[in-house]
């Protein structure tokens, strides 16, 4: 192997060690936990994205705790009067026109999770210098022969912060002063492992939810058991090493030809 080939091989090895493209990566296998994430339900991700990007402050609504209904006596039904199958559920009605987020957590659980996200995201900023709290919009699910359990990856990540005026005050959500991200690990996995080059909006184009989701739609024809949904969730995500990966990729030729890099 020539010196130049050896340098490029070492660079490729460095890059591969920076990013995990397996299901162990939260960006590729995100399963919101009731202990560390807030699932947002019955909301339009397009409207929520526009509100966050416009600098609006949003409030959280807990799930209503419905009283148990008394059991009804069994009734004999004719085939024409029987209830529809359980999997034939109507699509939920989306709430629009307000600045409130409907969650899937009861009030006490919601407050505990928001307190945890508030503390951990602030600690990340103060101790490591970067924000990890994001609102995840959209979700791509797919399987591979190597990973039949499948991947669940968010599409668009909006940097946000949880705020409150005092220890007993209600939590609020507002955009954090950073650019939104199309899931970088998902983009990289689709390109490197599946040969899918996404037609994402350019740097000078507005980054809307619809544009991002449309960019992933062609991947459905290539991936196994692939589906796209409008899932919404608030959680912690870290991809601090991805900019370094991209720098190594973009400047591979210059680094490979450098004498100091060759000596390493």
């Amino acid at each position: 192997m020539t010196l130049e080939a050896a340098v490029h091989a070492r660079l490729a090895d460095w890059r591969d060690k920076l990013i995990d493209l397996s299901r162990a990566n939260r960006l590729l296998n995100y399963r919101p936990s009731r202990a560390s994430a807030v699932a947002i339900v019955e909301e339009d991700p397009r409207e929520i994205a526009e509100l966050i990007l416009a600098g609006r402050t949003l409030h959280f609504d807990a799930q209503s705790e419905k009283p148990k209904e008394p059991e009804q006596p069994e009734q004999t039904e004719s085939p024409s009067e029987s209830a529809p199958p359980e999997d034939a559920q109507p699509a939920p009605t989306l709430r629009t026109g307000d600045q409130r987020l409907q969650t899937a957590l009861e009030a006490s659980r919601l407050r505990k999770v928001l307190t945890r996200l508030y503390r951990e995201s602030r600690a990340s900023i103060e101790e490591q210098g970067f924000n990890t709290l994001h609102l995840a919009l959209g979700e791509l699910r797919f399987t591979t022969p190597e990973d039949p359990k499948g991947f669940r990856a968010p599409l668009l990540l909006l940097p946000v912060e949880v705020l409150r005026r005092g220890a007993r005050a209600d939590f609020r959500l507002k955009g954090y002063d950073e650019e939104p991200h199309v899931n970088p690990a998902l983009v990289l996995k689709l390109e490197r492992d599946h040969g899918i080059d996404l037609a994402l909006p350019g740097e000078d184009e507005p980054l809307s939810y619809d544009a991002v989701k449309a960019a992933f739609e062609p991947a459905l024809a290539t991936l196994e058991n692939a589906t796209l949904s409008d899932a919404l969730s608030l959680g912690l995500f870290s991809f601090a090493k991805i900019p370094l990966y991209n720098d190594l990729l973009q400047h591979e030729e210059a680094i490979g030809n450098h004498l100091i890099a060759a000596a390493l």
Side-chain angles (χ1 to χ4, degrees):
M1 179 183 293
T2 65
L3 177 59
E4 182 179 356
V7 171
H8 286 286
R10 179 61 64 86
L11 286 174
D13 182 57
W14 288 345
R15 287 199 310 269
D16 291 343
K17 290 180 179 178
L18 286 173
I19 301 180
D20 182 3
L21 295 183
S22 73
R23 293 177 63 253
N25 188 337
R26 187 178 178 85
L27 286 167
L28 297 174
N29 187 36
Y30 179 56
R31 300 174 187 270
S33 164
R34 284 173 55 86
S36 60
V38 178
I40 311 297
V41 297
E42 299 174 8
E43 301 286 357
D44 184 352
R46 299 156 190 82
E47 182 180 60
I48 300 305
E50 290 174 0
L51 290 171
I52 291 292
L53 294 175
R56 302 291 181 87
T57 300
L58 307 183
H59 302 264
F60 297 94
D61 283 340
Q63 182 185 54
S64 299
E65 298 184 6
K66 298 179 181 179
K68 293 184 178 180
E69 297 182 358
E71 294 184 4
Q72 300 293 332
E74 293 184 3
Q75 297 181 356
T76 303
E77 297 178 337
S78 63
S80 60
E81 296 174 341
S82 61
E86 292 184 1
D87 58 354
Q89 297 295 331
T93 302
L94 298 181
R95 304 192 331 169
T96 59
D98 61 25
Q99 293 180 213
R100 307 195 68 84
L101 296 172
Q102 179 61 55
T103 74
L105 299 176
E106 62 276 7
S108 59
R109 170 62 61 181
L110 176 61
R111 188 166 188 84
K112 288 180 180 179
V113 176
L114 289 175
T115 300
R116 177 177 178 176
L117 294 176
Y118 171 79
R119 291 172 176 170
E120 292 190 13
S121 60
R122 287 179 63 89
S124 175
I125 294 172
E126 294 171 0
E127 297 173 8
Q128 302 180 55
F130 58 85
N131 181 42
T132 56
L133 186 62
H134 293 80
L135 190 62
L137 295 89
E139 182 181 72
L140 174 64
R141 296 191 185 193
F142 62 98
T143 63
T144 66
E146 298 78 17
D147 288 292
K149 291 184 177 180
F151 294 82
R152 296 176 55 176
L155 306 182
L156 181 62
L157 297 161
L158 301 183
V160 292
E161 58 181 333
V162 171
L163 308 170
R164 63 177 176 180
R165 291 191 173 94
R168 297 185 179 181
D170 290 337
F171 287 100
R172 298 164 293 136
L173 186 72
K174 191 172 184 180
Y176 189 74
D177 189 20
E178 284 182 359
E179 293 297 318
H181 312 277
V182 178
N183 186 338
L186 179 57
V187 173
L188 181 59
K189 182 170 184 64
L190 294 183
E191 179 182 352
R192 200 173 81 177
D193 292 358
H194 301 277
I196 300 173
D197 189 11
L198 301 171
L200 294 167
E203 294 183 0
D204 298 330
E205 300 178 63
L207 192 62
S208 69
Y209 173 74
D210 279 335
V212 172
K213 185 178 180 182
F216 282 93
E217 287 177 351
L220 298 178
T222 302
L223 299 171
E224 296 181 10
N225 305 312
T227 60
L228 278 173
S229 71
D230 292 331
L232 272 168
S233 181
L234 178 67
L236 300 171
F237 299 88
S238 177
F239 37 89
K241 294 181 180 179
I242 288 181
L244 179 56
Y245 177 97
N246 290 331
D247 283 344
L248 286 175
L249 186 63
Q250 294 171 7
H251 304 291
E252 179 177 358
E253 184 175 353
I255 297 173
N257 293 331
H258 200 284
L259 293 177
I260 295 179
L264 296 175

